Amino acid sequence: MKQEDWISKDTEVVWHPFTQLHGKAAPLMVTKAEGLYLHTDDGRKIMDAISSWWVNLHGHGHPHIAQAVAHQARELEHVIFAGFTHAPAIDLAEKVLSLLPGNQSKVFYSDNGSTAVEVGLKMAFQYHYNQNTDRKKVIAFHGAYHGDTFGSMSIGDRGPFSAPFAPFLFDVEFLDFPDGNNDEAILQHFQKLCDTEEVAAFVFEPLVLGSAGMKIYAAATLDRMIAYAQGKGTLCIADEVFTGFGRTGKNFACDYLEHQPDIFALSKGLTGGTMALGLTTCTEKIIDAYRSSDIMKTFFHGHSFTANPIACAASIASYELFIREECQAAIQRIARQQASFCQTVQQHPKVRMARCLGTIMAFDIATEEDTSYVNEVRHKLYPYFLERNILLRPLGNTIYVLPPYIITEEELQQVYTVILEMLKEV
């Protein structure tokens, strides 16, 4: 079938995410992906410089992951995970726990990042419920993004995306983003909330608020918040869906901290970007609140595709690639190159707030409009990069580079060159 025929059918039957249904350019038809590149049916090779929404760690079509998926599909494609188990789920749980801080005890599987966070919230609420403690409040950061299910929306930014659903979201105590100038004031506000002993959970994206525009804040501030919250009986939930598996230069963003969260939510890079899988981990203290002969203290939560064996096999293969010396060296190489370009671009008059952490590099284009996802400059930037065969998907006027770990020094420099050309032209 010709490209125009496929695109015509797509327009008729498919509803794409975060996409207006009127007046937008037709989507590009991808026929194959290999390494860093997306191949379209008109012969283009597009450099995936954002890891396809931050999920792809090792490049597209990695043979090690593909082989693991094919083998598992022949052995056991799926089985109900209530009352049954299988080796890939057990093996993956052990491997993930080996990377996480030592306070994490068990793994609960789900389908994606939103549900991983949702599980963490429900885990925390029921932890207090099972102990007959009346804690219903949640603390989160303004501008945060934790997913699109109702619980994860409730603790996320109250803006254009969630406006139609505002009447249905539960109340949350939101803190301003700690920008380095207001940290002490935020800490005082946070401590007052925790002192009420009504707060069930503090939920946060550790060190980087991704969808808010790659906003980076101090590990020392978060450390103090976690320590204080835990001292007051508040559970701390780290949404490492984006920051996990090396994105910040360490295995997890929380590896920069001394005080560790009670709950972790993981997804995105978990399968190396191959398919959907989420998981939530927690401490033994939380598990103890569920160990009871009382059936009403059971965690009644599950998904049809919980611990899908093929997704678990892909995740194990991704883990095996991730812990290799060459992958860890690539992460550090990318981090150094990103830091160097960050210093370079900071000097440009059209740039403000260049920032980086590990493999994440971002900066804002100076515009008259406030920084936000709907900033109009984004509608010029996105097609500009695509026309030059580079996938960069700006968050409003925030441009960020977040490549898979297989990108070469020369390929990353090509991305920088196009960015510098854009700053001259746009």
Side-chain angles (χ1 to χ4, degrees):
M1 190 179 293
K2 294 180 179 179
Q3 179 188 17
E4 55 267 27
D5 294 330
W6 277 116
I7 297 302
S8 177
K9 284 184 175 291
D10 179 277
T11 302
E12 291 176 11
V13 299
V14 177
W15 195 343
H16 290 269
F18 297 96
T19 304
Q20 283 179 265
L21 294 179
H22 176 74
K24 290 297 177 184
L28 298 176
M29 187 74 185
V30 176
T31 57
K32 179 182 177 182
E34 186 176 17
L36 184 63
Y37 296 95
L38 306 172
H39 297 257
T40 62
D41 68 347
D42 58 356
R44 294 173 63 187
K45 284 176 59 180
I46 298 173
M47 190 182 293
D48 187 351
I50 60 164
S51 303
S52 282
W53 253 341
W54 322 346
V55 301
N56 191 283
L57 300 187
H58 312 293
H60 294 279
H62 197 289
H64 183 64
I65 299 177
Q67 185 178 10
V69 167
H71 173 78
Q72 187 60 49
R74 290 190 294 267
E75 295 290 323
L76 173 66
E77 87 296 345
H78 188 62
V79 65
I80 180 175
F81 205 58
F84 291 86
T85 192
H86 50 80
I90 300 166
D91 190 14
L92 177 60
E94 287 186 326
K95 285 176 165 54
V96 169
L97 290 172
S98 75
L99 291 178
L100 286 167
N103 69 338
Q104 297 300 292
S105 176
K106 282 190 185 292
V107 169
F108 191 98
Y109 287 104
S110 60
D111 295 338
N112 54 63
S114 298
T115 57
V117 172
E118 199 91 1
V119 167
L121 279 172
K122 290 179 69 174
M123 229 178 238
F125 284 136
Q126 191 174 339
Y127 165 83
H128 296 293
Y129 176 89
N130 282 2
Q131 299 178 100
N132 297 312
T133 53
D134 189 22
R135 288 177 178 254
K136 297 183 176 68
K137 290 185 178 179
V138 177
I139 302 175
F141 285 120
H142 277 299
Y145 175 80
H146 296 286
D148 295 322
T149 53
F150 273 86
S152 57
M153 268 197 301
S154 293
I155 56 175
D157 184 48
R158 302 298 174 92
F161 292 174
S162 62
F165 318 108
F168 313 107
L169 306 180
F170 59 75
D171 290 335
V172 172
E173 298 283 354
F174 285 106
L175 303 172
D176 288 339
F177 174 74
D179 61 12
N181 298 313
N182 61 357
D183 292 36
E184 287 302 321
I186 288 168
L187 281 164
Q188 289 179 22
H189 181 199
F190 180 76
Q191 289 169 357
K192 286 181 180 178
L193 292 171
C194 292
D195 286 345
T196 66
E197 298 190 357
E198 297 174 351
V199 180
F202 166 43
V203 190
F204 54 89
E205 296 170 86
L207 307 191
V208 188
L209 270 64
S211 293
M214 300 296 170
K215 294 181 177 178
I216 298 172
Y217 64 105
T221 298
L222 181 57
D223 231 350
R224 291 172 64 186
M225 297 173 85
I226 293 172
Y228 197 87
Q230 291 175 333
K232 296 294 181 177
T234 295
L235 296 180
C236 296
I237 303 175
D239 177 354
E240 292 244 24
V241 169
F242 158 46
T243 51
F245 301 102
R247 289 302 188 188
T248 65
K250 293 181 181 286
N251 289 344
F252 299 96
C254 287
D255 289 342
Y256 287 92
L257 307 175
E258 291 183 16
H259 299 89
Q260 291 301 328
D262 303 284
I263 295 172
F264 280 79
L266 306 178
S267 188
K268 288 198 182 290
L270 177 61
T271 67
T274 305
M275 61 187 70
L277 184 66
L279 62 81
T280 308
T281 70
C282 68
T283 61
E284 193 67 18
K285 179 182 80 170
I286 293 173
I287 293 295
D288 285 341
Y290 290 85
R291 285 196 171 100
S292 173
S293 57
D294 182 356
I295 192 172
M296 295 310 296
K297 292 190 176 182
T298 303
F299 189 47
F300 290 113
H301 185 99
H303 301 265
S304 300
F305 287 95
T306 292
N308 174 257
I310 300 175
C312 289
S315 299
I316 292 166
S318 178
Y319 166 90
E320 291 167 347
L321 294 172
F322 178 69
I323 63 172
R324 288 180 182 175
E325 277 188 30
E326 52 264 46
C327 181
Q328 294 299 310
I331 290 169
Q332 299 310 314
R333 169 180 56 77
I334 293 167
R336 289 191 297 270
Q337 200 172 353
Q338 295 274 56
S340 176
F341 182 68
C342 191
Q343 287 186 336
T344 298
V345 79
Q346 178 66 70
Q347 311 306 316
H348 199 283
K350 293 181 182 176
V351 168
R352 65 187 184 200
M353 289 182 63
R355 52 207 181 267
C356 63
L357 180 64
T359 68
I360 306 162
M361 193 284 300
F363 63 88
D364 300 336
I365 299 290
T367 67
E368 294 181 2
E369 295 180 68
D370 291 337
T371 299
S372 75
Y373 188 90
V374 295
N375 190 301
E376 282 299 313
V377 73
R378 187 242 184 228
H379 302 306
K380 298 179 181 178
L381 298 174
Y382 179 60
Y384 179 95
F385 293 122
L386 269 186
E387 287 164 8
R388 288 151 183 83
N389 291 326
I390 295 178
L391 174 55
L392 290 175
R393 189 179 170 88
L395 298 159
N397 66 322
T398 299
I399 293 175
Y400 69 92
V401 181
L402 187 78
Y405 303 146
I406 49 90
I407 194 170
T408 67
E409 188 173 345
E410 294 73 23
E411 287 167 333
L412 191 49
Q413 187 56 52
Q414 288 178 42
V415 177
Y416 298 156
T417 299
V418 172
I419 288 174
L420 292 174
E421 290 172 353
M422 177 276 300
L423 289 171
K424 293 177 184 176
E425 297 176 28
V426 174

